[in-house]
Amino acid sequence: MLIDTYGRVATDLRVSLTDRCNLRCTYCMPEEGLQWLAKPDLLTDDEIVRLIDIAVTSLGVEEVRFTGGEPLLRPGLVGIVERVAALEPRPRTSLTTNGIGLGRTAAALKEAGLDRVNVSLDTLRPDVFKTLTRRNRHQDVIDGLYAAREAGLTPVKVNSVLMPGLNDDEAPDLLAWAVDHGYELRFIEQMPLDAQHGWKRDGMITAGDILASLRTRFELTPEGEEARGSAPAERWLVDGGPHRVGVIASVTRPFCAACDRTRLTADGQIRTCLFATEETDLRAALRSDAPDEEIARIWRLAMWGKKAGAGLDDPAFVQPDRPMSAIGG
């Protein structure tokens, strides 16, 4: 079991498979100049599967989410998914992706054992997409979402970040589109995860702003805390249901007290939180032939020291020194 001093138990493992990404979203990374991890620093496919095996069989992890960077850029992704889905007990498996390349891989991922996907899409307008991501790939994401739905990677969840002056007027349109296509939309408050440290608390689009905008067109009925559990998103029924919309208010309504996550970076570090300022090295233990029991002990010790919360609404908050692409969303 991965328990901390506040009694929280981590059963959800986020695994970053690469720090690389084929988009350059303005709220995540600079357009150029990032120093990518060297290949020898990355965990191998076998190392990733071994660590997940330890987490599932020895530490109580029940769900594995593959992230990046962009996980579809990992050459061995399908094989990793297949091996993880074959573990006993079998964990629930999911993938967070920007959707580029999903049109080609959705069916193979489903066959390998992937249960569902989260796809990032912040706008319905190709020109705004190009401004936000610095790439002209909007249609590729739309095609990837369709392929995921057709392959049965459901529920297909769409993650959207609203940025002032760019797409802050699109919340109702995004929800109407998601309802029409059978996707579950989740808005995420912009978090301080950019490598260039350009995030400002003042002016960000808050959960309150998003809900107010949605209510100009839709009736929203809260599901409530019991239905939410440890999920990061507060959810509302749209016009009485069955469709739902979620809001992840990491900054204005932190949910740290219910956090059940542990994170493995692409270079084999354990992070207790996206915003942790310290990491615990598992790669060194792996490569020094430490037994599974020792690796599990190190992991437990790391999680025992997890902080109470991130304090994102604190003006003195210190942003992490690695971009989100190197940590895993």
Side-chain angles (χ1 to χ4, degrees):
M1 181 182 294
L2 292 171
I3 189 169
D4 64 33
T5 54
Y6 298 92
R8 296 169 297 192
V9 178
T11 58
D12 184 338
L13 170 61
R14 305 298 169 100
V15 181
S16 175
L17 298 179
T18 177
D19 60 331
R20 296 175 184 269
C21 188
N22 41 13
L23 297 180
R24 294 293 181 271
C25 297
T26 56
Y27 52 78
C28 181
M29 63 176 70
E31 186 169 8
E32 55 188 24
L34 275 178
Q35 185 69 40
W36 303 117
L37 291 169
K39 188 173 182 179
D41 293 335
L42 292 170
L43 294 177
T44 66
D45 292 1
D46 287 344
E47 289 171 336
I48 289 170
V49 174
R50 183 184 172 195
L51 289 175
I52 295 174
D53 189 358
I54 292 169
V56 169
T57 60
S58 300
L59 298 173
V61 163
E62 299 172 353
E63 180 168 355
V64 177
R65 172 84 61 87
F66 298 104
T67 70
E70 173 45 53
L72 293 180
L73 295 180
R74 177 87 185 200
L77 172 62
V78 172
I80 291 171
V81 170
E82 185 173 28
R83 293 167 68 183
V84 170
L87 294 175
E88 292 291 343
R90 184 194 188 282
R92 298 185 299 275
T93 58
S94 57
L95 178 83
T96 294
T97 172
N98 61 29
I100 296 175
L102 192 56
R104 300 188 302 272
T105 56
L109 288 167
K110 178 63 177 180
E111 185 177 354
L114 191 70
D115 294 318
R116 64 173 190 82
V117 293
N118 286 28
V119 179
S120 298
L121 180 65
D122 303 321
T123 178
L124 299 176
R125 305 193 295 251
D127 58 325
V128 176
F129 181 91
K130 186 175 181 180
T131 299
L132 280 167
T133 68
R134 306 182 178 108
R135 298 292 186 270
N136 189 22
R137 307 296 297 273
H138 187 263
Q139 189 60 47
D140 293 324
V141 181
I142 299 295
D143 293 344
L145 280 160
Y146 176 81
R149 187 186 65 195
E150 293 303 295
L153 292 170
T154 54
V156 176
K157 296 184 179 181
V158 177
N159 295 339
S160 297
V161 177
L162 299 182
M163 300 288 288
L166 288 173
N167 62 339
D168 52 345
D169 61 336
E170 285 196 68
D173 290 340
L174 281 163
L175 181 53
W177 168 82
V179 167
D180 286 345
H181 290 83
Y183 306 136
E184 184 174 323
L185 181 63
R186 305 192 311 173
F187 292 99
I188 304 175
E189 286 183 338
Q190 184 199 2
M191 294 180 284
L193 291 168
D194 55 321
Q196 61 271 39
H197 290 192
W199 180 84
K200 301 294 183 186
R201 174 64 178 83
D202 294 339
M204 64 166 282
I205 309 302
T206 68
D209 297 331
I210 294 165
L211 292 170
S213 179
L214 293 176
R215 286 184 170 121
T216 63
R217 197 182 304 179
F218 302 95
E219 179 183 345
L220 302 181
T221 306
E223 277 197 323
E225 290 302 313
E226 184 175 344
R228 180 183 183 183
S230 61
E234 297 178 74
R235 298 200 307 180
W236 286 262
L237 294 174
V238 179
D239 291 339
H243 299 288
R244 294 171 172 82
V245 64
V247 178
I248 299 178
S250 303
V251 178
T252 61
R253 305 178 190 177
F255 43 85
C256 301
C259 181
D260 64 350
R261 299 179 184 181
T262 182
R263 299 176 182 275
L264 178 66
T265 68
D267 55 349
Q269 310 299 305
I270 289 298
R271 291 182 72 95
T272 60
C273 172
L274 268 178
F275 307 95
T277 56
E278 298 176 347
E279 298 176 334
T280 300
D281 187 5
L282 293 186
R283 185 185 63 197
L286 276 175
R287 295 181 180 178
S288 62
D289 297 322
D292 288 359
E293 295 78 8
E294 173 61 11
I295 293 171
R297 185 194 68 80
I298 297 171
W299 205 328
R300 287 191 191 97
L301 187 61
M303 293 305 295
W304 183 250
K306 184 174 181 174
K307 300 292 191 294
L312 303 189
D313 53 355
D314 184 341
F317 175 73
V318 178
Q319 294 169 250
D321 58 1
R322 295 219 272 174
M324 185 162 60
S325 64
I327 297 169

